[in-house]
């Protein structure tokens, strides 16, 4: 169930205190363009996480920048300058909270997820 163990990095402590979520739409949304876009975005030091989505936007990029000018440079030079990028919406992150780790269905209540009222008992 555990794919990897990660640490949560404080972007501000690394000199990148400005974080944003960038919603990106590609045109055309075809495999060669998608592959090149993903490779390019993941190679950038500002990129923290890249999500491929359904809906009106194709990607959300979580980025950490030095300041507003650095974020603007990233959007203009690394995203909108690419021919396949049709649109970028920038949302600054003021504050973030982290939820609990994902658990199997029923683990929070002591049920196994096998059905209502089912509980898991452990004998020692």
């Amino acid at each position: 169930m555990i794919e990897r163990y990660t640490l949560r990095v404080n972007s501000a402590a690394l000199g990148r205190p400005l974080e944003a979520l960038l919603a990106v739409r590609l045109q055309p949304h075809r495999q060669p363009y998608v592959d090149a876009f993903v490779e390019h975005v993941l190679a950038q030091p500002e990129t923290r996480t890249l999500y491929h989505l359904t809906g009106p936007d194709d990607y959300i990029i979580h980025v950490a920048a030095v300041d507003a000018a650095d974020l603007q440079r990233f959007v203009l030079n690394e995203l909108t300058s690419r021919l396949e990028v049709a649109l970028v919406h920038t949302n600054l992150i003021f504050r973030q909270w982290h939820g609990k780790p994902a658990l199997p269905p029923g683990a929070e209540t002591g049920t196994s997820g096998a059905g209502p009222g089912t509980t898991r008992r452990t004998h020692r």
Side-chain angles (χ1 to χ4, degrees):
M1 290 191 297
I2 298 172
E3 291 181 7
R4 64 184 166 145
Y5 181 79
T6 61
L7 299 172
R8 196 171 299 148
V9 176
N10 182 326
S11 295
L14 292 176
R16 296 181 179 276
L18 183 66
E19 293 187 60
L21 296 175
L22 309 175
V24 179
R25 219 173 278 167
L26 298 186
Q27 186 61 35
H29 195 165
R30 294 192 192 122
Q31 199 64 56
Y33 298 102
V34 167
D35 293 343
F37 175 78
V38 168
E39 184 178 327
H40 177 74
V41 169
L42 291 177
Q44 305 309 310
E46 295 85 1
T47 301
R48 296 199 56 192
T49 311
L50 176 63
Y51 300 94
H52 192 190
L53 311 171
T54 62
D57 297 313
D58 298 313
Y59 293 91
I60 294 286
I61 310 168
H62 179 191
V63 298
V66 174
D67 54 23
D70 187 41
L71 179 60
Q72 180 185 30
R73 180 208 51 77
F74 178 80
V75 170
L76 293 176
N77 296 352
E78 305 303 338
L79 297 179
T80 59
S81 66
R82 298 184 61 85
L83 295 177
E84 72 273 19
V85 174
L87 185 66
V88 177
H89 288 281
T90 303
N91 298 282
L92 296 181
I93 298 173
F94 291 138
R95 190 171 173 191
Q96 61 181 289
W97 293 265
H98 297 280
K100 298 176 187 175
L103 297 173
E108 306 87 15
T109 60
T111 63
S112 65
T118 306
T119 58
R120 211 172 171 177
R121 297 175 196 257
T122 314
H123 300 283
R124 292 185 186 218

Coordinates of all heavy atoms in Angstrom, one line a residue, residues 40-115:
H40 N 9.0 18.9 -19.9 CA 9.5 20.3 -19.7 C 9.1 20.8 -18.3 O 9.9 21.4 -17.6 CB 8.9 21.2 -20.8 CG 9.3 22.6 -20.6 ND1 10.6 23.1 -20.9 CD2 8.6 23.7 -20.1 CE1 10.6 24.4 -20.6 NE2 9.5 24.8 -20.2
V41 N 7.8 20.7 -17.9 CA 7.4 21.2 -16.6 C 8.1 20.5 -15.5 O 8.5 21.2 -14.5 CB 5.8 21.1 -16.5 CG1 5.4 21.4 -15.1 CG2 5.1 22.0 -17.5
L42 N 8.2 19.2 -15.5 CA 8.9 18.5 -14.4 C 10.4 18.8 -14.3 O 11.0 18.6 -13.3 CB 8.7 17.0 -14.6 CG 7.3 16.5 -14.4 CD1 7.2 15.0 -14.6 CD2 6.7 16.9 -13.0
A43 N 11.0 19.3 -15.4 CA 12.4 19.7 -15.4 C 12.7 21.0 -14.7 O 13.8 21.4 -14.4 CB 13.0 19.7 -16.8
Q44 N 11.6 21.8 -14.5 CA 11.8 23.2 -13.9 C 11.9 23.1 -12.4 O 11.2 22.4 -11.7 CB 10.6 24.1 -14.3 CG 10.3 24.1 -15.8 CD 11.5 24.5 -16.6 OE1 12.2 25.4 -16.3 NE2 11.8 23.7 -17.6
P45 N 12.8 23.9 -11.8 CA 13.0 23.9 -10.4 C 11.9 24.4 -9.6 O 11.7 24.1 -8.4 CB 14.3 24.7 -10.2 CG 14.4 25.5 -11.4 CD 13.8 24.8 -12.5
E46 N 11.0 25.2 -10.2 CA 9.8 25.8 -9.6 C 8.7 24.8 -9.3 O 7.9 24.9 -8.5 CB 9.3 27.0 -10.4 CG 10.2 28.1 -10.5 CD 11.2 28.0 -11.7 OE1 11.2 27.0 -12.4 OE2 12.0 28.9 -11.8
T47 N 8.7 23.7 -10.1 CA 7.6 22.7 -10.1 C 7.7 21.9 -8.9 O 8.7 21.2 -8.6 CB 7.6 21.9 -11.4 OG1 7.5 22.7 -12.5 CG2 6.5 20.9 -11.3
R48 N 6.7 21.9 -8.1 CA 6.6 21.0 -6.9 C 5.8 19.7 -7.3 O 6.1 18.6 -6.9 CB 5.9 21.7 -5.7 CG 6.8 22.9 -5.3 CD 6.6 23.3 -3.9 NE 6.7 22.2 -2.9 CZ 6.2 22.3 -1.7 NH1 5.7 23.4 -1.2 NH2 6.4 21.2 -0.9
T49 N 4.6 19.9 -7.9 CA 3.7 18.8 -8.3 C 3.0 19.1 -9.6 O 2.7 20.3 -9.8 CB 2.7 18.6 -7.2 OG1 3.3 18.5 -5.9 CG2 1.9 17.3 -7.4
L50 N 2.8 18.1 -10.4 CA 2.0 18.3 -11.6 C 0.9 17.3 -11.6 O 1.1 16.1 -11.4 CB 3.0 18.0 -12.8 CG 2.3 18.0 -14.2 CD1 1.7 19.4 -14.5 CD2 3.3 17.6 -15.3
Y51 N -0.3 17.8 -11.9 CA -1.5 16.9 -11.9 C -2.1 17.0 -13.3 O -2.3 18.1 -13.8 CB -2.6 17.4 -10.9 CG -2.1 17.5 -9.5 CD1 -1.6 18.6 -8.9 CD2 -2.2 16.3 -8.7 CE1 -1.2 18.6 -7.6 CE2 -1.8 16.3 -7.3 CZ -1.3 17.5 -6.8 OH -0.9 17.5 -5.5
H52 N -2.5 15.8 -13.8 CA -3.2 15.7 -15.1 C -4.7 15.6 -14.7 O -5.0 14.7 -13.9 CB -2.7 14.5 -15.9 CG -3.2 14.5 -17.3 ND1 -3.0 13.4 -18.1 CD2 -3.8 15.4 -18.1 CE1 -3.5 13.7 -19.3 NE2 -4.0 14.9 -19.3
L53 N -5.6 16.4 -15.3 CA -7.0 16.5 -14.9 C -8.0 16.1 -16.0 O -7.6 16.1 -17.1 CB -7.3 17.9 -14.4 CG -6.3 18.6 -13.5 CD1 -6.7 20.1 -13.3 CD2 -6.4 17.9 -12.1
T54 N -9.2 15.9 -15.5 CA -10.3 16.0 -16.5 C -11.0 17.4 -16.3 O -10.6 18.1 -15.3 CB -11.4 14.9 -16.1 OG1 -11.9 15.2 -14.8 CG2 -10.8 13.5 -16.2
G55 N -11.9 17.7 -17.2 CA -12.6 19.0 -17.0 C -12.0 20.0 -18.0 O -11.2 19.7 -18.9
P56 N -12.3 21.3 -17.7 CA -11.8 22.4 -18.7 C -10.3 22.6 -18.7 O -9.8 23.0 -19.7 CB -12.6 23.6 -18.2 CG -13.0 23.3 -16.8 CD -13.1 21.8 -16.7
D57 N -9.7 22.3 -17.6 CA -8.2 22.5 -17.6 C -7.6 21.1 -17.7 O -8.1 20.1 -17.2 CB -7.8 23.2 -16.2 CG -8.3 24.6 -16.1 OD1 -8.2 25.3 -17.1 OD2 -8.8 24.9 -15.1
D58 N -6.4 21.1 -18.3 CA -5.7 19.8 -18.5 C -4.7 19.5 -17.4 O -4.5 18.3 -17.1 CB -5.0 19.8 -19.9 CG -5.9 20.0 -21.1 OD1 -7.0 19.3 -21.1 OD2 -5.7 20.9 -21.9
Y59 N -4.1 20.5 -16.9 CA -3.1 20.3 -15.8 C -3.3 21.4 -14.7 O -3.7 22.5 -15.0 CB -1.7 20.4 -16.4 CG -1.4 19.3 -17.3 CD1 -1.6 19.4 -18.7 CD2 -0.9 18.1 -16.9 CE1 -1.4 18.4 -19.6 CE2 -0.6 17.1 -17.7 CZ -0.9 17.2 -19.1 OH -0.6 16.1 -19.9
I60 N -2.8 21.0 -13.5 CA -2.6 21.9 -12.4 C -1.1 21.7 -12.1 O -0.7 20.6 -11.8 CB -3.5 21.6 -11.2 CG1 -4.9 21.9 -11.5 CG2 -3.0 22.5 -10.0 CD1 -5.4 23.3 -11.6
I61 N -0.4 22.8 -12.0 CA 1.0 22.8 -11.6 C 1.1 23.5 -10.3 O 0.7 24.7 -10.2 CB 1.9 23.5 -12.7 CG1 1.6 23.0 -14.1 CG2 3.4 23.3 -12.3 CD1 2.3 23.8 -15.1
H62 N 1.6 22.9 -9.3 CA 1.9 23.5 -8.0 C 3.4 24.0 -8.1 O 4.3 23.2 -8.3 CB 1.7 22.5 -6.9 CG 2.1 23.1 -5.5 ND1 2.2 22.3 -4.4 CD2 2.3 24.4 -5.1 CE1 2.5 23.1 -3.4 NE2 2.5 24.3 -3.8
V63 N 3.6 25.3 -8.0 CA 4.9 25.9 -8.2 C 5.3 26.7 -6.9 O 4.4 27.1 -6.2 CB 5.1 26.8 -9.4 CG1 4.8 26.0 -10.7 CG2 4.1 28.0 -9.3
A64 N 6.6 26.8 -6.7 CA 7.1 27.6 -5.6 C 8.2 28.6 -6.3 O 9.1 28.1 -7.0 CB 7.8 26.8 -4.6
A65 N 7.9 29.9 -6.1 CA 8.8 30.9 -6.8 C 9.4 31.8 -5.7 O 9.0 31.8 -4.6 CB 7.9 31.7 -7.7
V66 N 10.5 32.5 -6.1 CA 11.2 33.4 -5.3 C 10.3 34.6 -4.9 O 10.2 35.0 -3.8 CB 12.5 33.9 -6.0 CG1 13.2 35.0 -5.1 CG2 13.4 32.7 -6.2
D67 N 9.6 35.2 -5.9 CA 8.7 36.3 -5.7 C 7.8 36.4 -6.9 O 7.8 35.6 -7.8 CB 9.6 37.6 -5.5 CG 10.5 37.9 -6.7 OD1 10.3 37.3 -7.8 OD2 11.5 38.6 -6.4
A68 N 7.0 37.5 -7.0 CA 6.0 37.7 -8.1 C 6.7 37.8 -9.4 O 6.2 37.2 -10.4 CB 5.2 38.9 -7.8
A69 N 7.8 38.5 -9.5 CA 8.6 38.6 -10.8 C 9.1 37.2 -11.2 O 9.0 36.9 -12.4 CB 9.7 39.6 -10.6
D70 N 9.5 36.4 -10.3 CA 10.0 35.0 -10.7 C 8.8 34.2 -11.1 O 9.0 33.4 -12.1 CB 10.6 34.4 -9.4 CG 11.3 33.1 -9.7 OD1 12.0 32.9 -10.8 OD2 11.2 32.2 -8.9
L71 N 7.7 34.3 -10.5 CA 6.5 33.6 -10.9 C 6.1 34.0 -12.3 O 5.7 33.2 -13.2 CB 5.3 33.8 -10.0 CG 4.0 33.1 -10.3 CD1 4.2 31.6 -10.4 CD2 3.0 33.4 -9.3
Q72 N 6.1 35.4 -12.6 CA 5.7 35.9 -13.9 C 6.7 35.4 -15.0 O 6.3 35.0 -16.0 CB 5.7 37.4 -13.9 CG 5.4 38.0 -15.2 CD 5.5 39.5 -15.2 OE1 6.3 40.1 -14.5 NE2 4.7 40.2 -16.0
R73 N 8.0 35.4 -14.6 CA 9.0 34.8 -15.6 C 8.7 33.4 -15.9 O 8.7 32.9 -17.0 CB 10.4 34.9 -15.0 CG 11.5 34.4 -15.9 CD 12.7 33.9 -15.1 NE 12.4 33.0 -14.1 CZ 12.1 31.7 -14.2 NH1 12.1 31.1 -15.4 NH2 11.9 30.9 -13.2
F74 N 8.3 32.6 -14.9 CA 8.0 31.1 -15.1 C 6.8 31.0 -16.0 O 6.9 30.2 -17.0 CB 7.7 30.5 -13.8 CG 7.4 29.0 -13.9 CD1 8.4 28.1 -14.1 CD2 6.0 28.6 -13.9 CE1 8.0 26.7 -14.2 CE2 5.7 27.3 -14.0 CZ 6.7 26.3 -14.2
V75 N 5.8 31.7 -15.8 CA 4.5 31.6 -16.6 C 4.8 32.1 -18.0 O 4.5 31.4 -19.0 CB 3.4 32.5 -16.0 CG1 2.2 32.6 -17.0 CG2 2.9 31.9 -14.7
L76 N 5.5 33.2 -18.2 CA 5.8 33.7 -19.6 C 6.8 32.9 -20.3 O 6.6 32.5 -21.5 CB 6.2 35.1 -19.5 CG 5.1 36.1 -19.0 CD1 5.7 37.5 -18.9 CD2 3.9 36.1 -20.0
N77 N 8.0 32.6 -19.7 CA 9.1 31.9 -20.4 C 8.9 30.4 -20.4 O 9.4 29.8 -21.4 CB 10.4 32.2 -19.7 CG 10.7 33.7 -19.8 OD1 10.1 34.5 -20.5 ND2 11.8 34.1 -19.1
E78 N 8.3 29.8 -19.4 CA 8.3 28.3 -19.4 C 7.0 27.7 -19.8 O 6.9 26.5 -20.1 CB 8.7 27.8 -18.0 CG 10.0 28.3 -17.5 CD 11.2 28.0 -18.4 OE1 11.1 27.0 -19.2 OE2 12.2 28.7 -18.3
L79 N 5.9 28.5 -19.8 CA 4.6 28.0 -20.1 C 4.0 28.7 -21.4 O 3.9 28.0 -22.4 CB 3.6 28.2 -18.9 CG 4.0 27.4 -17.7 CD1 3.0 27.6 -16.6 CD2 4.2 25.9 -17.9
T80 N 3.6 29.9 -21.3 CA 2.9 30.6 -22.4 C 3.8 30.7 -23.7 O 3.2 30.9 -24.7 CB 2.3 31.9 -22.0 OG1 3.3 32.8 -21.6 CG2 1.3 31.7 -20.9
S81 N 5.1 30.6 -23.5 CA 5.9 30.6 -24.7 C 5.9 29.3 -25.5 O 6.3 29.3 -26.7 CB 7.4 30.9 -24.3 OG 7.9 29.8 -23.6
R82 N 5.3 28.3 -24.9 CA 5.2 27.0 -25.6 C 4.0 27.0 -26.5 O 2.9 27.4 -26.1 CB 5.2 25.8 -24.6 CG 6.4 25.8 -23.7 CD 6.4 24.6 -22.8 NE 6.3 23.3 -23.5 CZ 7.4 22.7 -24.0 NH1 8.6 23.2 -23.8 NH2 7.3 21.5 -24.6
L83 N 4.2 26.5 -27.7 CA 3.1 26.5 -28.7 C 1.9 25.7 -28.3 O 0.7 26.0 -28.6 CB 3.6 26.0 -30.1 CG 4.7 26.9 -30.7 CD1 5.2 26.2 -32.0 CD2 4.2 28.3 -31.0
E84 N 2.0 24.6 -27.5 CA 0.9 23.8 -27.1 C 0.1 24.4 -25.9 O -1.0 23.9 -25.6 CB 1.4 22.3 -26.8 CG 2.1 22.2 -25.5 CD 3.6 22.4 -25.7 OE1 4.1 23.0 -26.6 OE2 4.4 21.9 -24.8
V85 N 0.6 25.4 -25.3 CA -0.1 26.0 -24.1 C -1.0 27.0 -24.6 O -0.6 28.1 -25.2 CB 0.9 26.6 -23.1 CG1 0.2 27.3 -22.0 CG2 1.8 25.4 -22.5
A86 N -2.3 26.8 -24.5 CA -3.4 27.7 -24.9 C -3.8 28.7 -23.9 O -4.1 29.8 -24.2 CB -4.6 26.9 -25.4
L87 N -3.7 28.3 -22.6 CA -4.2 29.2 -21.5 C -3.6 28.8 -20.2 O -3.4 27.6 -19.9 CB -5.8 29.0 -21.4 CG -6.6 29.8 -20.5 CD1 -6.5 31.3 -20.9 CD2 -8.0 29.4 -20.4
V88 N -3.3 29.8 -19.4 CA -2.8 29.6 -18.0 C -3.6 30.5 -17.1 O -3.7 31.7 -17.3 CB -1.3 29.9 -17.9 CG1 -0.8 29.8 -16.5 CG2 -0.5 29.0 -18.8
H89 N -4.1 29.9 -16.0 CA -4.8 30.7 -14.9 C -3.9 30.5 -13.7 O -3.5 29.4 -13.3 CB -6.2 30.1 -14.6 CG -7.2 30.4 -15.6 ND1 -7.8 31.6 -15.8 CD2 -7.7 29.6 -16.6 CE1 -8.7 31.6 -16.8 NE2 -8.6 30.3 -17.3
T90 N -3.5 31.6 -13.1 CA -2.6 31.6 -11.9 C -3.4 31.9 -10.7 O -4.2 32.9 -10.6 CB -1.5 32.7 -12.1 OG1 -0.8 32.4 -13.3 CG2 -0.6 32.7 -10.9
N91 N -3.3 31.0 -9.7 CA -3.9 31.2 -8.3 C -2.8 31.2 -7.3 O -2.2 30.2 -7.1 CB -4.9 30.1 -8.1 CG -6.0 30.1 -9.1 OD1 -7.0 30.9 -9.0 ND2 -5.9 29.2 -10.1
L92 N -2.6 32.3 -6.6 CA -1.7 32.3 -5.5 C -2.2 31.5 -4.3 O -3.4 31.6 -4.0 CB -1.4 33.7 -5.1 CG -0.7 34.6 -6.1 CD1 -0.4 36.0 -5.5 CD2 0.6 34.0 -6.6
I93 N -1.3 30.9 -3.6 CA -1.6 30.1 -2.4 C -1.3 31.0 -1.2 O -0.1 31.4 -1.0 CB -0.9 28.8 -2.3 CG1 -1.2 27.9 -3.5 CG2 -1.2 28.1 -0.9 CD1 -0.4 26.6 -3.6
F94 N -2.3 31.4 -0.4 CA -2.1 32.2 0.8 C -1.7 31.3 1.9 O -0.8 31.7 2.7 CB -3.3 33.0 1.2 CG -3.7 34.1 0.2 CD1 -5.0 34.3 -0.1 CD2 -2.7 34.9 -0.3 CE1 -5.3 35.3 -1.0 CE2 -3.0 36.0 -1.2 CZ -4.3 36.2 -1.5
R95 N -2.3 30.2 2.1 CA -2.1 29.3 3.2 C -2.5 27.9 2.8 O -3.4 27.7 2.0 CB -2.9 29.8 4.4 CG -2.6 29.1 5.7 CD -3.3 29.8 6.8 NE -3.1 29.0 8.0 CZ -3.7 29.3 9.2 NH1 -4.6 30.3 9.2 NH2 -3.5 28.5 10.2
Q96 N -1.9 26.9 3.4 CA -2.4 25.5 3.1 C -2.4 24.6 4.3 O -1.7 24.9 5.3 CB -1.4 24.9 2.0 CG 0.0 24.7 2.4 CD 0.8 24.1 1.4 OE1 0.7 22.9 1.1 NE2 1.7 24.9 0.7
W97 N -3.3 23.7 4.3 CA -3.5 22.7 5.3 C -3.3 21.3 4.7 O -3.6 21.1 3.5 CB -4.9 22.8 6.0 CG -5.1 24.1 6.7 CD1 -5.0 24.3 8.0 CD2 -5.5 25.3 6.1 NE1 -5.3 25.6 8.3 CE2 -5.6 26.2 7.2 CE3 -5.8 25.8 4.8 CZ2 -6.0 27.6 7.0 CZ3 -6.2 27.1 4.7 CH2 -6.3 27.9 5.7
H98 N -2.8 20.4 5.5 CA -2.7 19.0 5.0 C -3.6 18.1 5.8 O -3.7 18.2 7.0 CB -1.2 18.5 5.2 CG -0.3 19.4 4.4 ND1 -0.1 19.2 3.0 CD2 0.5 20.4 4.7 CE1 0.8 20.0 2.6 NE2 1.2 20.8 3.6
G99 N -4.3 17.3 5.0 CA -5.3 16.3 5.6 C -4.6 15.1 6.1 O -3.3 15.0 6.1
K100 N -5.4 14.2 6.6 CA -4.8 12.9 7.1 C -4.3 12.0 6.0 O -4.8 12.2 4.8 CB -5.9 12.2 7.9 CG -6.5 12.9 9.1 CD -7.6 12.1 9.7 CE -8.3 12.9 10.8 NZ -9.4 12.2 11.3
P101 N -3.5 11.1 6.2 CA -3.1 10.2 5.1 C -4.3 9.3 4.7 O -5.2 9.1 5.5 CB -2.0 9.3 5.8 CG -2.1 9.5 7.2 CD -2.8 10.8 7.5
A102 N -4.3 8.9 3.5 CA -5.3 8.0 3.0 C -5.3 6.7 3.7 O -4.3 6.1 3.9 CB -5.2 7.8 1.5
L103 N -6.5 6.2 4.1 CA -6.6 4.9 4.8 C -7.6 4.1 4.0 O -8.5 4.6 3.3 CB -7.1 5.1 6.2 CG -6.2 5.9 7.1 CD1 -6.8 6.2 8.5 CD2 -4.9 5.1 7.4
P104 N -7.6 2.8 4.2 CA -8.6 1.9 3.5 C -10.0 2.2 4.0 O -10.1 2.7 5.1 CB -8.2 0.5 3.9 CG -6.8 0.6 4.4 CD -6.6 2.0 4.9
P105 N -11.0 2.0 3.2 CA -12.4 2.2 3.6 C -12.7 1.5 4.9 O -12.4 0.4 5.1 CB -13.2 1.7 2.5 CG -12.3 1.7 1.3 CD -11.0 1.5 1.8
G106 N -13.3 2.2 5.8 CA -13.6 1.7 7.1 C -12.6 1.7 8.2 O -12.8 1.5 9.4
A107 N -11.3 2.1 7.8 CA -10.2 2.1 8.8 C -10.4 3.1 9.9 O -10.0 2.9 11.0 CB -8.9 2.3 8.1
E108 N -11.1 4.2 9.6 CA -11.3 5.3 10.5 C -12.3 4.9 11.6 O -12.2 5.3 12.7 CB -11.8 6.6 9.9 CG -11.0 7.1 8.7 CD -11.4 6.5 7.4 OE1 -12.5 5.8 7.3 OE2 -10.6 6.6 6.5
T109 N -13.2 4.0 11.3 CA -14.3 3.6 12.2 C -14.1 2.2 12.8 O -14.9 1.8 13.6 CB -15.6 3.7 11.5 OG1 -15.6 2.7 10.4 CG2 -16.0 5.1 11.0
G110 N -13.0 1.5 12.3 CA -12.8 0.2 12.8 C -13.4 -0.9 12.0 O -13.4 -2.0 12.4
T111 N -14.1 -0.5 10.9 CA -14.7 -1.5 10.1 C -13.8 -1.9 9.0 O -12.9 -1.2 8.6 CB -16.1 -1.0 9.5 OG1 -15.8 0.1 8.6 CG2 -17.1 -0.6 10.6
S112 N -14.0 -3.0 8.4 CA -13.1 -3.5 7.4 C -13.5 -3.1 6.0 O -12.8 -3.3 5.0 CB -13.1 -5.1 7.4 OG -14.4 -5.5 7.0
G113 N -14.6 -2.4 5.9 CA -15.1 -2.0 4.6 C -15.9 -3.1 3.9 O -16.4 -2.9 2.8
A114 N -16.1 -4.2 4.6 CA -16.8 -5.4 4.0 C -18.3 -5.1 4.0 O -19.1 -5.8 3.3 CB -16.5 -6.7 4.8
G115 N -18.8 -4.2 4.8 CA -20.2 -3.9 4.8 C -20.6 -3.2 6.1 O -19.8 -3.1 7.0

